[in-house]
Amino acid sequence: MAPNDKIAVTLIPGDGIGPECIESARRIIDAAGAGIEWEVCEAGESVFKKGIPSGVPKETIDSIHRTRCVFKGPLGTPVGYGEKSANVTLRKLFETFANVRPVREMPGVPTPYSGRGIDLVVVRENVEDLYAGIEHMQTPGVAQCLKLISRKGSEKVIRLAFELARAEGRRSVACATKSNIMKLTEGTFKRTFERVAQEYPDIQAWHVIVDNCAHQLVKKPEQFDVIVTTNMNGDILSDLTSALIGGLGFAPSANLGNEVAIFEAVHGTAPKYAGKNVINPTAVIMSGILMLRYLGKFEAATLVENALLVTLEEGKYRTGDVVGYDSGLAATTTQYTDAIIANLGKVPQRTPVRQYKPLSIPRLPSDPVMVRPSSRRVVGVDIFIESPLLPAELGPSLEQLTEGTALKLKMVSNRGTQVYPDKGTIIDCVDHYRCRFIARDPAADLRDEDLYQLIERVATAHRWVHIEKLQEFDGEPGFTKAQGED
Ligand code: NAP
């Protein structure tokens, strides 16, 4: 695509402060002569009110299929009608697997970190993890949410983080996980990171445990360049990083996939400021800059970015979130926007400008099977049961039920800690037990019939709620032990 070609983009003004932010960004992008043709579409509260439960009507989906690029304001998730967030629907419908959230120190925006040169990007996995939203009440009083992490999903976002580091001339990528506790889910992300990192010897790759990452970000944020992480970790860390540089008014984001990209601020609809012409549109303007670079319009992106930085350097027009809404010094959203437009063509004097190259978005084979082990076998089963019994009553009952089957009871745990056989632990049990049965013959590859027979036996005396096969892949157990399990 030549830089001067017109490109169609789906424009969703959004809810609350969304239309004001989008109008500001759109005026600046148009004034920069970026050559964007906007297809204005609806999503969010107005759509929920029409009775469309996804919050995203067909016309909007059709437009996105045509343009493959969305520039949007925040969408509210109203309580009482509509079930899911329209934002999450959009991200998931188009498999935007990476959420890129850059933050940098902004001139004229004083923070406790001013002068330290914060300039980092959080790359958050955007589809998997606990945000797959697969939840069940396992008993009337015990809820479960499945944390799904795939090697394919991890590899896509990790490769993108390294590609981003290269495109932006960055030195290092840190991988933030909780793999010390969740050895299979967060561990898959970490191991994939270590494997992929070998293909990028020019980039320093390091791992940091996510809680320490939060600590280090507050203590010494300038040590970070790119941070790649799982969905929930990234959600939390990226709000933290926004606060380091002046708040949500300055935090843009890009949701990137192989087919579609969605650009939006990190912030929401801030309803108390809606329609007042006071909010800070910078996060949406910066999301627009990310979009222009994604579309290959590097000149227009630099033009808008420079004008924004010059306006902040001049410090004459700053919004209420920076100078105080009641200070008498705050510019309106419109005044701030006009000042940026007037500064198009000027170059910032004090703020370092980064050189950007096109970002290559990794594409993996569409085969759903990514890992094919050379051997596998079923070595047991975890049966989750709802029971009012205490472990000392439940354990012997289960042992009796296994008689004559191919499996024997190994242990019973309650919320992850072994409670039978008794190890002397002090546990305040709930009515949700994981009962682990393993093959009597340690070399066996159990058949489904063996498991059915056991489940039928257990069901005669207890209410089972969930069953999980215990599998071994290439001789490695595909399951973790309970706390206290030998
Ligand atoms: P929010 O809308 O981000 O607002 C929280 C606070 O952040 C505001 O009260 C304000 O702080 C500050 N703020 C946010 N944007 C600002 C801006 N452009 N300029 C200046 N200050 C700004 O978060 P929320 O109140 O939790 O969420 C409201 C709604 O937005 C919810 O329905 C939520 O679901 C939705 N939401 C949508 C998205 C999205 O569309 N991507 C993202 C997040 C939330 P002060 O009060 O300190 O001035």
Side-chain angles (χ1 to χ4, degrees):
M1 180 94 47
N4 293 328
D5 282 352
K6 286 255 179 197
I7 298 179
V9 168
T10 301
L11 183 85
I12 301 173
D15 303 319
I17 59 170
E20 295 159 70
C21 298
I22 286 286
E23 180 56 17
S24 163
R26 173 185 172 157
R27 281 182 57 216
I28 297 167
I29 291 170
D30 287 348
I36 304 295
E37 270 172 11
W38 307 103
E39 285 193 12
V40 182
C41 289
E42 260 190 314
E45 281 170 8
S46 58
V47 180
F48 285 121
K49 282 181 186 155
K50 285 181 193 163
I52 299 173
S54 67
V56 188
K58 183 174 177 307
E59 301 78 55
T60 302
I61 292 174
D62 289 347
S63 169
I64 299 172
H65 276 298
R66 264 193 313 276
T67 64
R68 310 268 161 160
C69 182
V70 182
F71 188 45
K72 67 176 276 290
L75 306 177
T77 310
V79 181
Y81 44 94
E83 284 200 346
K84 295 268 181 188
S85 150
N87 291 306
V88 178
T89 301
L90 278 171
R91 288 175 203 163
K92 289 200 165 230
L93 271 183
F94 297 100
E95 185 78 27
T96 56
F97 59 82
N99 190 291
V100 175
R101 296 184 161 188
V103 292
R104 62 178 294 187
E105 181 174 334
M106 305 299 284
V109 183
T111 74
Y113 296 93
S114 292
R116 287 167 66 168
I118 294 173
D119 181 1
L120 61 90
V121 188
V122 175
V123 180
R124 163 188 170 192
E125 200 288 319
N126 213 21
V127 178
E128 303 192 338
D129 198 359
L130 294 159
Y131 291 48
I134 306 172
E135 295 191 288
H136 300 95
M137 293 305 298
Q138 297 252 304
T139 79
V142 179
Q144 174 199 264
C145 180
L146 280 188
K147 181 174 167 82
L148 285 179
I149 304 275
S150 73
R151 195 150 120 193
K152 188 176 182 180
S154 303
E155 182 161 338
K156 284 201 285 190
V157 71
I158 289 164
R159 283 191 184 282
L160 187 133
F162 279 103
E163 291 295 334
L164 182 103
R166 275 192 181 160
E168 299 195 352
R170 294 180 181 272
R171 303 172 317 277
S172 76
V173 179
C175 172
T177 75
K178 196 70 185 170
S179 51
N180 49 330
I181 303 295
M182 288 165 273
K183 295 177 195 301
L184 296 183
T185 49
E186 294 274 312
T188 290
F189 198 84
K190 176 173 183 276
R191 284 186 290 278
T192 306
F193 175 79
E194 286 159 354
R195 187 169 50 78
V196 171
Q198 291 171 15
E199 296 176 40
Y200 296 86
D202 49 321
I203 309 284
Q204 187 206 343
W206 57 294
H207 177 259
V208 57
I209 292 174
V210 66
D211 35 340
N212 184 32
C213 185
H215 168 240
Q216 293 295 329
L217 275 168
V218 174
K219 201 173 156 196
K220 202 175 165 208
E222 58 274 25
Q223 70 185 292
F224 291 97
D225 217 350
V226 177
I227 300 170
V228 67
T229 187
T230 49
N231 202 341
M232 183 150 149
N233 293 340
D235 194 3
I236 298 167
L237 288 182
S238 61
D239 258 37
L240 188 159
T241 55
S242 310
L244 299 176
I245 50 92
L248 286 170
F250 293 96
S253 86
N255 301 278
L256 301 178
N258 286 125
E259 312 303 331
V260 167
I262 302 172
F263 298 86
E264 61 182 339
V266 170
H267 66 69
T269 59
K272 68 180 175 188
Y273 296 122
K276 295 190 174 154
N277 197 24
V278 295
I279 49 82
N280 184 354
T282 307
V284 175
I285 298 167
M286 290 172 74
S287 305
I289 296 169
L290 298 179
M291 178 186 76
L292 292 174
R293 289 208 179 95
Y294 169 82
L295 294 172
K297 293 187 172 281
F298 287 88
E299 260 180 52
T302 303
L303 203 59
V304 174
E305 184 168 56
N306 284 350
L308 171 69
L309 294 171
V310 169
T311 308
L312 289 169
E313 279 186 356
E314 289 174 350
K316 195 168 164 211
Y317 294 98
R318 287 179 296 171
T319 44
D321 54 323
V322 183
V323 291
Y325 287 101
D326 300 326
S327 65
L329 299 170
T332 63
T333 309
T334 312
Q335 285 169 329
Y336 181 67
T337 307
D338 290 341
I340 297 171
I341 292 172
N343 281 329
L344 284 167
K346 295 187 190 158
V347 177
Q349 298 302 306
R350 306 192 303 273
T351 317
V353 176
R354 188 176 279 285
Q355 297 302 313
Y356 294 89
K357 291 192 212 126
L359 170 64
S360 147
I361 298 184
R363 184 181 285 277
L364 298 189
S366 59
D367 180 358
V369 184
M370 180 127 180
V371 186
R372 290 188 165 80
S374 50
S375 70
R376 60 189 299 161
R377 67 187 184 109
V378 177
V379 299
V381 65
D382 278 347
I383 304 181
F384 294 75
I385 68 168
E386 177 185 342
S387 172
L389 298 178
L390 289 171
E393 302 161 313
L394 178 62
S397 155
L398 293 167
E399 272 164 350
Q400 209 179 7
L401 291 164
T402 64
E403 277 169 21
T405 72
L407 294 101
K408 61 182 180 187
L409 182 71
K410 178 157 189 251
M411 63 100 205
V412 177
S413 71
N414 196 282
R415 289 166 300 150
T417 302
Q418 179 169 326
V419 290
Y420 184 87
D422 182 18
K423 291 245 170 165
T425 40
I426 302 165
I427 294 287
D428 185 10
C429 286
V430 299
D431 61 352
H432 180 264
Y433 288 97
R434 185 250 310 255
C435 311
R436 175 157 288 179
F437 301 91
I438 55 164
R440 290 182 190 278
D441 170 4
D445 181 8
L446 292 166
R447 302 163 307 150
D448 283 352
E449 291 73 37
D450 300 323
L451 307 185
Y452 298 151
Q453 186 194 22
L454 176 72
I455 295 160
E456 273 181 21
R457 290 276 188 89
V458 170
T460 58
H462 304 283
R463 187 192 293 271
W464 65 267
V465 293
H466 179 93
I467 293 163
E468 196 76 47
K469 272 184 184 174
L470 301 180
Q471 308 187 81
E472 235 182 51
F473 302 115
D474 292 327
E476 291 293 323
F479 49 95
T480 54
K481 286 185 174 173
Q483 291 291 344
E485 182 182 351
D486 295 322

